[in-house]
Each structure stands twice: as structure tokens, then as C-alpha cells.
Amino acid sequence: MFDNKSILITGGTGSFGKLFSAYLINNFSPKKVIIYSRDELKQFEMQQEFDAPCMRFFIGDVRDKARLKSAMRDVDFVVHAAALKQVPAAEYNPNECIKTNINGAQNVIDAAISCDVKRVIALSTDKAANPVNLYGATKLASDKLFVAANNIAGARGPRFAVVRYGNVVGSRGSVVPFFRKLIEQGKTVLPVTHAEMTRFWITLDEGVEFVIKNFNRMQGGEIFVPKIPSIRIVDLVESISGNRNYELVGIRPGEKLHEVMVPEEMAHHSIEYDDHYVITPAIKFFDKNINYLKNKLGEKGQPVVDKFEYHSGSNPHFLTVEELKSLDKITL
């Protein structure tokens, strides 16, 4: 699919962008892989790691629609990974979060339509489902924008879809590198916000492969949700430190005890596949003939049961401490 094609990644210097770029280079023969981000230092550092002739680097902000249009000229596929993601920072700087996560999303949509991009996938988060914090609320708004963008684009395209998943193991800013750093500093007691906290857990490799596969699956308007395990925060502490010594520091502003990826309220719009769920559009859609029970790869799904909810606390699959230790070794 990506051979001799141009792919642009917003926020491309982040953990996802780097691995996604490496995956494209190692598994396909892309014409261009365009990194679009606003940090010149991170771009410089990434250029030292990636010297493939297909790599291109654009300094730019998703808040700048004109720059996005310039960067998307002759682009075939877009992955929108740029976002302000820190929950407490969003609570204290709400307007900045809105400018990037909502206004920036609309700019990406407008630029993609103007430049005749073929397909766009936006990365979302479990925090967008039944959001209680500003970050989650902005990502829910972004998800809605990308779904509705298919109607704005019409039959001509582009086609837009969303990928929603949970916490990425070891990604920049996640709790795992934070815990590791404390252990390296000699800490024997790790800070925990709440002893009953649970989270969905996915590796960066799994996230990248899920996005790649959904470019092949998508028809437009889907929110793709992978079936992934949950973890208990106290099990994570034990897997990293070797014991369950922790101190409760209280839930941070805007933080949830558990996460949801498919809310009960969206059960009647949701379809279960072997390894993922699809939340279908709740609005009247541009193409009434789309059958979301069968995707572009020919995979078949079925509607979820009434009142279904995909919840990190009731997920049937939890990682054990030993599994977390093994996963930690893989992602080091």
C-alpha cells in the first residue's frame, strides 16, 4: 500500500512517529516520509537516526493551516499524531490545548481535503471516551471532527478514520520511564495516585502495526479500538521495583480511576471483530451503502451485545506481574 507513496506524520518526532517511520522504511519502499513538527531540535536529532533518502522534515505547527497545505502537497496518506497530551498541563492551560487538539485537527482536515490526500488516520486516546478532563474532551471533539470530515469531503474523498488506544508502554511522558528514573535515583517507594487504578496497555510496536492495518481496513468514519490487556497500577509497581512499596499521592487534576474505550452509550454503534472493535458513525453518513460489518480486508464483524462497555477495570484480560516484567524487558 505504501510503496512509491508519500506519507506525512504530524507530530512525527514523537515516539510513535519515529517507530512508524522506521516501520515504513523497513517494510515498504515509500516515495517520501514527511515529518511535520514544530521542534527543530527534535527534528535535527531524528535526522541523525534516519538517513533514508525518502525522509523529509518540515518545521511547522498544526495550528498553521497554510503551512500544513504546503507540507501536504502531493501527499497520499496522513497520520495525525500531533497533540498536547499531558492531562494536568491541559487543565492549567486549556486554551492552548484547544488550539492544538481541536483547531489543529480541523486544520489537518482542511489541508487534506485541499490537497486531495487519499486517506487520513488520526490518533486518539482512551481518555476521549466519556471524558472527565480537558485533554480527553479535546480529543473527543477531534474524533468527531475526523468522522464528520468524510461528509465534508463527500464521495471524492479523502477518507478519514480514527484509531483509539490506551497507554503506550514506555512512550515519552508515560509512567514507565518515570518509575524507572525514580528507581535509578535510588527510590524504594514509588508514588501511586490510587491503589485501585487500572489502565489499558499497548506496546508502541502494537500501536504502529494497528495503524498500518487500519489504513487497509478503513472505509471512512470508523473509530478503531484494539483488543488489548489491562494492568493494575500496583502490579506495574511490583514489576518494575520488585516489591509493592508505594505511597499514595492522590489522583491528579482530571485523572480517572479507570479508562473506557467503547462507552456503553455507543454500544448500539459498535461492532466486534476478532482483534478489535469499530465504533461506527452516529450521524447520517456520506455513503449509506457502507457496510461496516465487513471491512476492506474482507474481515467480518458482528454487533456487540446491548449495554456493552469496553472498560479497563472490567476487561477480561489483565497482565500478570510476570507478564509485565517480560513486557518491560522487550520495551527497554
Side-chain angles (χ1 to χ4, degrees), residues 36 119 130 182 240 294:
Y36 184 93
R119 299 183 190 182
N130 292 344
L182 292 178
I240 292 176
K294 183 178 180 180

Side-chain angles (χ1 to χ4, degrees), residues 54-265:
C54 64
M55 295 297 297
R56 301 289 188 276
F57 292 85
F58 265 68
I59 297 291
D61 197 313
V62 293
R63 300 181 186 187
D64 186 341
K65 188 189 298 186
R67 183 61 171 163
L68 276 169
K69 287 182 179 179
S70 176
M72 282 191 204
R73 194 176 298 126
D74 298 323
V75 164
D76 299 288
F77 304 106
V78 172
V79 179
H80 178 46
L84 294 182
K85 302 173 184 177
Q86 292 293 322
V87 171
E91 296 297 307
Y92 285 106
N93 305 277
N95 200 40
E96 296 305 306
C97 189
I98 290 167
K99 287 176 185 176
T100 295
N101 294 359
I102 298 179
N103 299 344
Q106 187 62 54
N107 288 340
V108 169
I109 291 165
D110 292 343
I113 293 173
S114 296
C115 295
D116 294 321
V117 171
K118 292 181 177 65
R119 299 183 190 182
V120 179
I121 285 183
L123 302 191
S124 185
T125 169
D126 46 14
K127 294 169 180 62
N130 292 344
V132 299
N133 54 58
L134 185 79
Y135 168 55
T138 61
K139 292 302 286 183
L140 174 60
S142 173
D143 292 355
K144 297 287 188 181
L145 286 171
F146 277 100
V147 170
N150 292 278
N151 280 346
I152 298 170
R156 178 184 169 193
R159 296 280 70 87
F160 298 86
V162 174
V163 164
R164 175 186 292 172
Y165 50 63
N167 291 263
V168 180
V169 184
S171 63
R172 196 179 63 213
S174 71
V175 70
V176 171
F178 173 63
F179 278 173
R180 285 184 189 144
K181 184 176 181 180
L182 292 178
I183 294 295
E184 290 170 1
Q185 293 173 349
K187 302 289 185 181
T188 56
V189 179
L190 296 178
V192 168
T193 55
H194 196 290
E196 296 179 13
M197 184 170 285
T198 65
R199 287 293 182 265
F200 288 108
W201 214 239
I202 188 171
T203 68
L204 198 52
D205 292 271
E206 290 169 338
V208 166
E209 290 172 6
F210 190 60
V211 171
I212 292 284
K213 189 171 286 188
N214 290 323
F215 266 113
N216 289 287
R217 286 171 168 152
M218 65 180 285
Q219 302 179 80
E222 305 97 332
I223 297 177
F224 292 100
V225 178
K227 291 182 178 179
I228 54 178
S230 290
I231 66 154
R232 297 177 178 87
I233 192 66
V234 292
D235 289 341
L236 181 64
V237 167
E238 182 175 350
S239 73
I240 292 176
S241 69
N243 58 62
R244 285 186 176 245
N245 294 336
Y246 61 85
E247 59 175 337
L248 293 177
V249 295
I251 291 180
R252 300 177 301 169
E255 192 172 36
K256 282 184 177 182
L257 188 58
H258 307 286
E259 294 289 359
V260 174
M261 284 205 284
V262 180
E264 181 182 322
E265 294 78 7

Side-chain angles (χ1 to χ4, degrees), residues 269-283:
H269 290 288
S270 300
I271 298 169
E272 182 176 9
Y273 283 81
D274 287 343
D275 64 349
H276 69 286
Y277 299 99
V278 169
I279 303 174
T280 64
I283 57 176

